[in-house]
Amino acid sequence: MLRNTKPVWECIESHKTKFFGLSDRIWGRPEENYQEFFAFNEHRQTLALEGFTVSEAMAGIPTAVMGEAGKGGPVIAILGEYDALPGLSQEAGVAEQRPVVPGGSGHGCGHNMLGSASLLAAVAVKDWLAQAGLPGRVRYYGCPAEEGGSGKSFLVRAGAFDDVDTAICWHPSAFTGVWPAASLACAEFEFTFYGRAAHAAAAPHLGRSALDAVELMSVGVNYMREHMPSSARVHYALVDGGGIAPNVVQPRAVVRHLVRALKLNEMWGLVEWVKKIAEGAALMTETRVEMKQLSGEANLVPNAPLEEAMHANLMQLGGVEFDSFDMEFARSIQSTLPPDDIRSAYGRHGLPVSSDPLSSQIYPPEGSRTDSLGSTDVGTVSWVVPTVQCLVSSYAIGTPGHSWQLVAQGKSPAAHKGIAFAAKAMAGVAADVLSDPALLAAAKEALEGYRKDNEFKNPIGPETAPPLSMAAK
């Protein structure tokens, strides 16, 4: 029973069971970047059944969907995701690595839960608006390809958020609290080198090796690392090494580089440096290089008024309540993890180490470390709309992201409890914004203040098309 029940939370209680089913169905049909057709259809059908006006294929992305309900007033966007990861197929409910399909995909980041809870929150806000007779609109955005495909950045570029007043999101986690607004801006480029084939023994002087160019580019980027800010990162993957025949001078080779930095402007400088290195590698090998951007994401922009509202809702809810069955399964998952992974997980959130395998605490807003950062396309949204996110305890402490252990917990009772709790937190913030014009004004003022000192350039270039055939990374 809720300690201090908000009417919008009661709406979640009445709907939650069917959204647990939605999450489980999507867990059972994992789909990678831009291929989330089953998940898209499940979310589209649910939106229609719940009375939302549905828009499809936004920004030219077939698996993007948006549903809107309500009239007039502010527009609240609740963001969902439903893409999976490659190579993480795993049976549910077992604490040993046991793929369902060897080499298959799996929900190793919990996006089956993420989208389902966000859609549940949107349904609750829709019902609450109708019951309260308040002006306002709630939108659920089904956002594809967060895992390296930057779906939200394409949606931002297409203007999908131009009339939105506030955006709200969450992510499954081992702990519960406000997500610190810190992430790395990133941009991914594919470099294709073209050389000239030749017999590697009889006529090597007639060939020009594209693979040599790729290798020289990698050497150049590695030397570049010495002179980057300590928070910046560059990763690469060899997409096509030119074939498996060593007696052929490779005429074509492809490599991808992912450039990350703490701020957008810092990232653009590094991107230009990497491009120069590619041009230099082509010059040294007498090859030709083509560069194509695949994806890009901005760093997260903080919004103190919304973060305070989110923290207040989390404290009012009081943490996810787990039972003995949840604890037993989580403990069995922890038995597969190194003890250091579990201890370091507490340190990242400023919490003392506990013997409990699941957390029911709310970590303090000032407690989370921001020295170990990844990237998220929510960051791009946060530059154009006041945005807030929370993390919600849904799996065993120490569970690595993008792991089979996370997939194994993706449709557990603990995951379902996290879904309901996250939906309440997001719906609570939405209700606060819709009920309090001063909160909305403060949130907008905070974003405007940040933008005055920081220039925004969408990390997706105007000529870049959504990489609909791109494999998830």
Side-chain angles (χ1 to χ4, degrees), residues 55-68:
S55 300
E56 303 177 23
M58 298 179 297
I61 303 173
T63 54
V65 64
M66 188 266 283
E68 178 178 296

Side-chain angles (χ1 to χ4, degrees), residues 158 203 292 456:
K292 179 176 72 172
F456 176 63

Side-chain angles (χ1 to χ4, degrees), residues 119-182:
L119 183 46
L120 171 56
V123 169
V125 174
K126 173 187 72 73
D127 290 354
W128 171 78
L129 279 171
Q131 292 169 10
L134 289 173
R137 286 169 284 165
V138 60
R139 290 180 185 166
Y140 170 76
Y141 284 78
C143 305
E146 191 278 333
E147 296 290 0
S150 306
K152 296 182 193 68
S153 295
F154 287 101
L155 292 172
V156 168
R157 191 184 67 179
F161 295 95
D162 285 356
D163 61 344
V164 172
D165 293 285
T166 299
I168 306 170
C169 192
W170 81 292
H171 204 286
S173 176
F175 296 98
T176 300
V178 177
W179 185 323

Side-chain angles (χ1 to χ4, degrees), residues 186-385:
C186 69
E188 182 171 4
F189 286 80
E190 188 168 86
F191 300 87
T192 303
F193 290 88
Y194 296 94
R196 188 162 68 243
H199 193 295
H205 58 289
L206 299 179
R208 295 295 182 267
S209 173
L211 181 58
D212 285 354
V214 165
E215 292 183 310
L216 283 169
M217 182 182 178
S218 295
V219 170
V221 171
N222 284 335
Y223 277 107
M224 169 188 165
R225 297 178 202 278
E226 181 182 354
H227 306 287
M228 298 190 316
S230 59
S231 57
R233 303 284 187 270
V234 182
H235 330 284
Y236 68 97
L238 183 61
V239 177
D240 181 357
I244 61 172
N247 62 337
V248 176
V249 175
Q250 294 88 345
R252 181 180 181 274
V254 185
V255 65
R256 290 179 184 174
H257 282 259
L258 178 58
V259 182
R260 305 188 202 238
L262 202 55
K263 296 289 178 65
L264 263 177
N265 288 340
E266 182 180 86
M267 181 200 75
W268 288 123
L270 295 175
V271 165
E272 291 307 309
W273 194 350
V274 169
K275 288 181 177 180
K276 289 176 182 177
I277 291 170
E279 291 168 350
L283 182 65
M284 287 188 287
T285 54
E286 291 193 333
T287 59
R288 176 173 60 88
V289 63
E290 291 182 356
M291 310 177 197
K292 179 176 72 172
Q293 185 178 13
L294 299 178
S295 61
E297 298 162 7
N299 55 290
L300 283 164
V301 175
N303 196 288
L306 291 179
E307 290 162 10
E308 290 166 6
M310 178 65 81
H311 182 68
N313 274 273
L314 295 173
M315 294 300 293
Q316 191 173 347
L317 284 162
V320 186
E321 296 181 356
F322 299 108
D323 59 27
S324 58
F325 176 85
D326 301 326
M327 293 290 185
E328 181 180 355
F329 180 49
R331 194 167 280 112
S332 70
I333 291 290
Q334 282 192 333
S335 71
T336 71
L337 306 172
D340 284 349
D341 285 13
I342 298 170
R343 284 192 293 270
S344 65
Y346 286 96
R348 287 195 297 272
H349 295 287
L351 294 171
V353 177
S354 167
S355 60
D356 290 335
L358 291 165
S359 175
S360 294
Q361 304 177 71
I362 310 296
Y363 64 76
E366 67 281 359
S368 289
R369 284 167 36 195
T370 56
D371 56 349
S372 297
L373 299 176
S375 304
T376 171
D377 58 7
V378 178
T380 310
V381 177
S382 73
W383 279 81
V384 298
V385 180

